[in-house]
Amino acid sequence: MYLNILFLPLFSSIVCGFFGKFIGANGSRFISTTCIFLTFITSCFIFFEVGFSGTTCCFSLFRWFSSELLVVDWGFLFDPLTAIMLIVVTSISTLVHLYSCEYMSHDPHISRFMSYLSFFTFFMLILVTSDNFIQMFVGWEGVGLCSYLLINFWFTRLQANKAAIKAMLVNRVGDFGLALGILCIFNYFGVLDYASTFCLVNVLKDEIVTFIFFDINLITLICLLLFVGAVGKSAQLGLHTWLPDAMEGPTPVSALIHAATMVTAGVFLIARCSPLFENSTDALAIVTIFGATTAFFAATTGLLQNDLKRVIAYSTCSQLGYMVFACGLSNYSVGVFHLANHAFFKALLFLGAGCVIHAVADEQDFRKMGGLSRIIPFTYSLMFIGSLSLMGFPFLSGFYSKDVILEVAYAKFSVTGHYAF
């Protein structure tokens, strides 16, 4: 059961990609949506077993490569954090596949589109289920590749080409930091699987190393390098510029990648490496300051945009800032709680935006829109609910997670906590 969750999206991607010409558009839609839906059902069983029954599952499939001290297995870890991410990734991916069946129905290349979506889901699942840093890095780079392919899906549009290249290059900067962090872990710890690394943190927490002519604590250095990777993927201040431009891709892509799943990989990485971050107060302070500054900066930038999808993209950037500073204040569970809530209402807003754009003949400038509640009342009501949840209106999911984040920031009684608040 546990391996089906990885096999089904890969099978779907291969069939739609290589045999789409033979099975046709309808066949591609049916196979990809069915496979991802079965993956979601499996995720629900895993969530029940791991989350409610408390049976964490960890197993090694086979030896990937072995070179002296560097031994890496294809291993999978299903713990509560993974279970939550599986539900988020597979449920939203299922809905996006279903939505794409109709949204992209006029497109002659729908088989390729469905193949890319399934391939993205496969790599995202590799990222969240891996039990070592190398395998996680494979998923990390895989979702970067798929985001390039999906943003650039309409490759005859110059703006889509530019946006895809920008996303790839900006993410390279973050991935360089993450790769250096993983190399540091291997160099000093001698292992790369999570369990062994986290066990050895207490032994090496007072180690001082020289990095670019500066003496710095080893754990702080590793945390900061891992955080550079998270800054790139989760669009924090400095490496955030790719996220609004990535709106050039089809709307279902925006909903899947830039709202719900790929951009949350950075927050997932910080939560997964919490035993490292907890041993470095300096790294936590920097994470908090970056997250809080991003939350404010992106929200104020979003106020001045005229493009419907771009506004929602800047909002995503701001919400990621909330999640990051919640993790920086050592409240990882609160950050992941907001991650799960935000994934759903932000995907709702993006898919609603797709309906609006279709209704007004592919116009994205909302200065030219108005009175749509009479024309598309169903979309209007759903986007209204999504917007209320996003702003933290009482008794909706967004209220509970955002309010708790602000409360823990205020209750920290530290300089960084009050700055974030």
Side-chain angles (χ1 to χ4, degrees), residues 6-43:
L6 296 160
F7 172 72
L8 286 167
L10 182 62
F11 171 76
S12 160
S13 175
I14 290 170
V15 170
C16 295
F18 291 106
F19 305 104
K21 184 179 173 184
F22 305 105
I23 60 176
N26 289 335
S28 299
R29 288 183 198 138
F30 177 75
I31 288 173
S32 60
T33 310
T34 306
C35 284
I36 302 298
F37 179 68
L38 291 173
T39 310
F40 169 60
I41 297 296
T42 313
S43 297

Short mmCIF file of all heavy atoms in Angstrom, two decimals, residues 6-43:
data_model
loop_
_atom_site.label_atom_id
_atom_site.label_comp_id
_atom_site.label_asym_id
_atom_site.label_seq_id
_atom_site.Cartn_x
_atom_site.Cartn_y
_atom_site.Cartn_z
N LEU A 6 3.57 6.07 -4.60
CA LEU A 6 4.60 6.57 -5.51
C LEU A 6 4.45 5.98 -6.91
O LEU A 6 4.72 6.64 -7.91
CB LEU A 6 5.99 6.24 -4.96
CG LEU A 6 6.34 6.91 -3.64
CD1 LEU A 6 7.48 6.18 -2.97
CD2 LEU A 6 6.71 8.36 -3.88
N PHE A 7 4.01 4.74 -6.96
CA PHE A 7 3.95 4.04 -8.25
C PHE A 7 2.84 4.60 -9.14
O PHE A 7 3.03 4.78 -10.35
CB PHE A 7 3.72 2.54 -8.02
CG PHE A 7 3.44 1.77 -9.28
CD1 PHE A 7 4.46 1.53 -10.20
CD2 PHE A 7 2.16 1.31 -9.56
CE1 PHE A 7 4.20 0.84 -11.37
CE2 PHE A 7 1.90 0.63 -10.73
CZ PHE A 7 2.92 0.39 -11.64
N LEU A 8 1.67 4.89 -8.57
CA LEU A 8 0.52 5.32 -9.38
C LEU A 8 0.76 6.63 -10.15
O LEU A 8 0.51 6.68 -11.35
CB LEU A 8 -0.74 5.44 -8.50
CG LEU A 8 -1.36 4.09 -8.09
CD1 LEU A 8 -2.38 4.29 -6.99
CD2 LEU A 8 -2.00 3.41 -9.29
N PRO A 9 1.27 7.71 -9.51
CA PRO A 9 1.54 8.93 -10.29
C PRO A 9 2.60 8.72 -11.38
O PRO A 9 2.48 9.27 -12.47
CB PRO A 9 2.03 9.94 -9.25
CG PRO A 9 1.54 9.43 -7.96
CD PRO A 9 1.51 7.94 -8.08
N LEU A 10 3.62 7.90 -11.07
CA LEU A 10 4.67 7.63 -12.08
C LEU A 10 4.08 6.87 -13.25
O LEU A 10 4.36 7.19 -14.42
CB LEU A 10 5.80 6.83 -11.43
CG LEU A 10 7.00 6.53 -12.33
CD1 LEU A 10 7.66 7.82 -12.79
CD2 LEU A 10 8.01 5.64 -11.62
N PHE A 11 3.26 5.87 -12.97
CA PHE A 11 2.59 5.10 -14.03
C PHE A 11 1.73 6.01 -14.90
O PHE A 11 1.78 5.97 -16.13
CB PHE A 11 1.73 4.00 -13.38
CG PHE A 11 0.82 3.28 -14.34
CD1 PHE A 11 1.33 2.33 -15.21
CD2 PHE A 11 -0.54 3.58 -14.38
CE1 PHE A 11 0.49 1.67 -16.11
CE2 PHE A 11 -1.37 2.92 -15.26
CZ PHE A 11 -0.86 1.97 -16.14
N SER A 12 0.96 6.88 -14.24
CA SER A 12 0.10 7.83 -14.94
C SER A 12 0.90 8.74 -15.86
O SER A 12 0.54 8.97 -17.02
CB SER A 12 -0.68 8.66 -13.91
OG SER A 12 -1.15 9.84 -14.46
N SER A 13 2.03 9.25 -15.33
CA SER A 13 2.87 10.17 -16.12
C SER A 13 3.46 9.48 -17.34
O SER A 13 3.45 10.03 -18.45
CB SER A 13 3.99 10.70 -15.22
OG SER A 13 4.88 11.48 -15.97
N ILE A 14 3.96 8.24 -17.16
CA ILE A 14 4.57 7.50 -18.28
C ILE A 14 3.53 7.18 -19.35
O ILE A 14 3.77 7.38 -20.54
CB ILE A 14 5.24 6.22 -17.75
CG1 ILE A 14 6.49 6.58 -16.92
CG2 ILE A 14 5.64 5.30 -18.91
CD1 ILE A 14 7.08 5.42 -16.16
N VAL A 15 2.36 6.71 -18.92
CA VAL A 15 1.31 6.34 -19.89
C VAL A 15 0.85 7.56 -20.69
O VAL A 15 0.78 7.53 -21.92
CB VAL A 15 0.12 5.68 -19.17
CG1 VAL A 15 -1.06 5.53 -20.12
CG2 VAL A 15 0.52 4.31 -18.63
N CYS A 16 0.56 8.67 -19.98
CA CYS A 16 0.08 9.88 -20.68
C CYS A 16 1.17 10.51 -21.54
O CYS A 16 0.88 11.05 -22.61
CB CYS A 16 -0.43 10.91 -19.68
SG CYS A 16 -1.87 10.38 -18.77
N GLY A 17 2.42 10.44 -21.06
CA GLY A 17 3.51 11.08 -21.79
C GLY A 17 3.93 10.32 -23.04
O GLY A 17 4.11 10.91 -24.10
N PHE A 18 4.07 9.00 -22.92
CA PHE A 18 4.61 8.21 -24.04
C PHE A 18 3.52 7.59 -24.92
O PHE A 18 3.77 7.28 -26.08
CB PHE A 18 5.54 7.11 -23.51
CG PHE A 18 6.82 7.65 -22.94
CD1 PHE A 18 7.02 7.67 -21.56
CD2 PHE A 18 7.82 8.14 -23.76
CE1 PHE A 18 8.19 8.19 -21.02
CE2 PHE A 18 9.00 8.66 -23.23
CZ PHE A 18 9.19 8.68 -21.86
N PHE A 19 2.33 7.39 -24.34
CA PHE A 19 1.28 6.73 -25.11
C PHE A 19 0.05 7.61 -25.29
O PHE A 19 -1.02 7.13 -25.66
CB PHE A 19 0.88 5.40 -24.43
CG PHE A 19 2.06 4.49 -24.21
CD1 PHE A 19 2.61 4.34 -22.94
CD2 PHE A 19 2.65 3.80 -25.27
CE1 PHE A 19 3.71 3.52 -22.72
CE2 PHE A 19 3.74 2.98 -25.05
CZ PHE A 19 4.27 2.83 -23.79
N GLY A 20 0.20 8.91 -25.02
CA GLY A 20 -0.93 9.84 -25.15
C GLY A 20 -1.49 9.88 -26.55
O GLY A 20 -2.69 10.06 -26.76
N LYS A 21 -0.61 9.67 -27.54
CA LYS A 21 -1.04 9.68 -28.95
C LYS A 21 -2.01 8.52 -29.23
O LYS A 21 -2.92 8.63 -30.06
CB LYS A 21 0.21 9.55 -29.83
CG LYS A 21 -0.04 9.64 -31.32
CD LYS A 21 1.28 9.53 -32.05
CE LYS A 21 1.05 9.45 -33.56
NZ LYS A 21 2.31 9.24 -34.28
N PHE A 22 -1.81 7.41 -28.53
CA PHE A 22 -2.64 6.21 -28.78
C PHE A 22 -3.93 6.21 -27.95
O PHE A 22 -4.97 5.77 -28.42
CB PHE A 22 -1.83 4.94 -28.49
CG PHE A 22 -0.54 4.89 -29.25
CD1 PHE A 22 0.67 5.12 -28.61
CD2 PHE A 22 -0.52 4.63 -30.62
CE1 PHE A 22 1.87 5.09 -29.31
CE2 PHE A 22 0.67 4.60 -31.33
CZ PHE A 22 1.88 4.83 -30.68
N ILE A 23 -3.83 6.70 -26.71
CA ILE A 23 -5.03 6.64 -25.84
C ILE A 23 -5.91 7.88 -26.01
O ILE A 23 -7.06 7.90 -25.56
CB ILE A 23 -4.65 6.45 -24.36
CG1 ILE A 23 -3.77 7.61 -23.85
CG2 ILE A 23 -3.97 5.12 -24.13
CD1 ILE A 23 -3.44 7.53 -22.38
N GLY A 24 -5.36 8.93 -26.64
CA GLY A 24 -6.16 10.13 -26.91
C GLY A 24 -6.33 11.01 -25.70
O GLY A 24 -5.93 10.68 -24.58
N ALA A 25 -6.97 12.16 -25.92
CA ALA A 25 -7.16 13.15 -24.85
C ALA A 25 -8.03 12.60 -23.72
O ALA A 25 -7.71 12.73 -22.54
CB ALA A 25 -7.78 14.42 -25.43
N ASN A 26 -9.14 11.94 -24.09
CA ASN A 26 -10.05 11.41 -23.07
C ASN A 26 -9.38 10.32 -22.24
O ASN A 26 -9.56 10.24 -21.02
CB ASN A 26 -11.33 10.86 -23.72
CG ASN A 26 -12.20 11.98 -24.26
OD1 ASN A 26 -12.12 13.10 -23.76
ND2 ASN A 26 -13.02 11.69 -25.25
N GLY A 27 -8.61 9.45 -22.91
CA GLY A 27 -7.89 8.39 -22.19
C GLY A 27 -6.89 8.97 -21.21
O GLY A 27 -6.77 8.50 -20.07
N SER A 28 -6.17 10.02 -21.64
CA SER A 28 -5.18 10.66 -20.76
C SER A 28 -5.85 11.26 -19.54
O SER A 28 -5.37 11.11 -18.42
CB SER A 28 -4.42 11.75 -21.52
OG SER A 28 -3.73 11.22 -22.61
N ARG A 29 -6.97 11.94 -19.79
CA ARG A 29 -7.71 12.54 -18.66
C ARG A 29 -8.15 11.47 -17.67
O ARG A 29 -7.98 11.62 -16.46
CB ARG A 29 -8.95 13.27 -19.18
CG ARG A 29 -8.69 14.55 -19.92
CD ARG A 29 -10.02 15.18 -20.29
NE ARG A 29 -9.87 16.15 -21.34
CZ ARG A 29 -10.71 16.28 -22.37
NH1 ARG A 29 -11.75 15.48 -22.49
NH2 ARG A 29 -10.52 17.22 -23.27
N PHE A 30 -8.74 10.41 -18.20
CA PHE A 30 -9.30 9.37 -17.34
C PHE A 30 -8.21 8.67 -16.53
O PHE A 30 -8.32 8.52 -15.30
CB PHE A 30 -10.06 8.35 -18.19
CG PHE A 30 -10.62 7.20 -17.39
CD1 PHE A 30 -11.75 7.38 -16.60
CD2 PHE A 30 -10.00 5.96 -17.40
CE1 PHE A 30 -12.25 6.33 -15.83
CE2 PHE A 30 -10.50 4.91 -16.65
CZ PHE A 30 -11.63 5.10 -15.86
N ILE A 31 -7.13 8.25 -17.21
CA ILE A 31 -6.06 7.49 -16.52
C ILE A 31 -5.38 8.35 -15.46
O ILE A 31 -5.20 7.91 -14.31
CB ILE A 31 -5.04 6.97 -17.55
CG1 ILE A 31 -5.67 5.83 -18.36
CG2 ILE A 31 -3.76 6.48 -16.86
CD1 ILE A 31 -4.82 5.34 -19.50
N SER A 32 -5.02 9.60 -15.82
CA SER A 32 -4.28 10.43 -14.86
C SER A 32 -5.15 10.77 -13.65
O SER A 32 -4.71 10.64 -12.50
CB SER A 32 -3.78 11.71 -15.52
OG SER A 32 -4.85 12.46 -16.03
N THR A 33 -6.41 11.16 -13.89
CA THR A 33 -7.28 11.53 -12.77
C THR A 33 -7.57 10.33 -11.87
O THR A 33 -7.56 10.44 -10.64
CB THR A 33 -8.61 12.13 -13.29
OG1 THR A 33 -8.31 13.14 -14.25
CG2 THR A 33 -9.41 12.74 -12.17
N THR A 34 -7.78 9.16 -12.48
CA THR A 34 -8.07 7.95 -11.69
C THR A 34 -6.87 7.57 -10.83
O THR A 34 -7.02 7.26 -9.64
CB THR A 34 -8.43 6.77 -12.62
OG1 THR A 34 -9.50 7.18 -13.48
CG2 THR A 34 -8.86 5.56 -11.83
N CYS A 35 -5.69 7.58 -11.43
CA CYS A 35 -4.47 7.21 -10.68
C CYS A 35 -4.24 8.15 -9.50
O CYS A 35 -3.92 7.70 -8.39
CB CYS A 35 -3.25 7.24 -11.60
SG CYS A 35 -3.15 5.83 -12.72
N ILE A 36 -4.39 9.45 -9.74
CA ILE A 36 -4.15 10.41 -8.65
C ILE A 36 -5.23 10.29 -7.58
O ILE A 36 -4.97 10.43 -6.38
CB ILE A 36 -4.07 11.86 -9.19
CG1 ILE A 36 -2.95 11.98 -10.25
CG2 ILE A 36 -3.79 12.84 -8.07
CD1 ILE A 36 -1.56 11.69 -9.75
N PHE A 37 -6.47 9.98 -8.00
CA PHE A 37 -7.54 9.81 -7.01
C PHE A 37 -7.27 8.58 -6.13
O PHE A 37 -7.45 8.62 -4.91
CB PHE A 37 -8.90 9.65 -7.72
CG PHE A 37 -10.04 9.43 -6.78
CD1 PHE A 37 -10.46 10.44 -5.92
CD2 PHE A 37 -10.70 8.21 -6.72
CE1 PHE A 37 -11.51 10.26 -5.03
CE2 PHE A 37 -11.75 8.01 -5.83
CZ PHE A 37 -12.15 9.04 -4.99
N LEU A 38 -6.77 7.49 -6.75
CA LEU A 38 -6.42 6.29 -5.97
C LEU A 38 -5.27 6.59 -5.00
O LEU A 38 -5.23 6.08 -3.88
CB LEU A 38 -6.04 5.14 -6.91
CG LEU A 38 -7.20 4.55 -7.73
CD1 LEU A 38 -6.66 3.55 -8.75
CD2 LEU A 38 -8.22 3.87 -6.82
N THR A 39 -4.34 7.46 -5.45
CA THR A 39 -3.24 7.88 -4.57
C THR A 39 -3.79 8.63 -3.36
O THR A 39 -3.34 8.44 -2.23
CB THR A 39 -2.27 8.81 -5.35
OG1 THR A 39 -1.91 8.20 -6.56
CG2 THR A 39 -1.02 9.08 -4.55
N PHE A 40 -4.79 9.47 -3.61
CA PHE A 40 -5.41 10.22 -2.51
C PHE A 40 -6.10 9.28 -1.52
O PHE A 40 -5.97 9.45 -0.30
CB PHE A 40 -6.42 11.23 -3.08
CG PHE A 40 -7.31 11.86 -2.03
CD1 PHE A 40 -6.76 12.59 -0.99
CD2 PHE A 40 -8.69 11.70 -2.08
CE1 PHE A 40 -7.57 13.17 -0.02
CE2 PHE A 40 -9.50 12.26 -1.11
CZ PHE A 40 -8.94 13.00 -0.08
N ILE A 41 -6.81 8.28 -2.04
CA ILE A 41 -7.48 7.30 -1.16
C ILE A 41 -6.43 6.59 -0.30
O ILE A 41 -6.60 6.40 0.92
CB ILE A 41 -8.28 6.26 -2.00
CG1 ILE A 41 -9.40 6.95 -2.79
CG2 ILE A 41 -8.86 5.17 -1.10
CD1 ILE A 41 -10.47 7.61 -1.93
N THR A 42 -5.31 6.19 -0.92
CA THR A 42 -4.23 5.53 -0.19
C THR A 42 -3.67 6.45 0.89
O THR A 42 -3.38 6.02 2.02
CB THR A 42 -3.10 5.12 -1.15
OG1 THR A 42 -3.65 4.48 -2.29
CG2 THR A 42 -2.11 4.19 -0.48
N SER A 43 -3.54 7.75 0.55
CA SER A 43 -3.03 8.73 1.53
C SER A 43 -3.94 8.80 2.75
O SER A 43 -3.46 8.96 3.87
CB SER A 43 -2.96 10.12 0.90
OG SER A 43 -2.07 10.15 -0.15
#
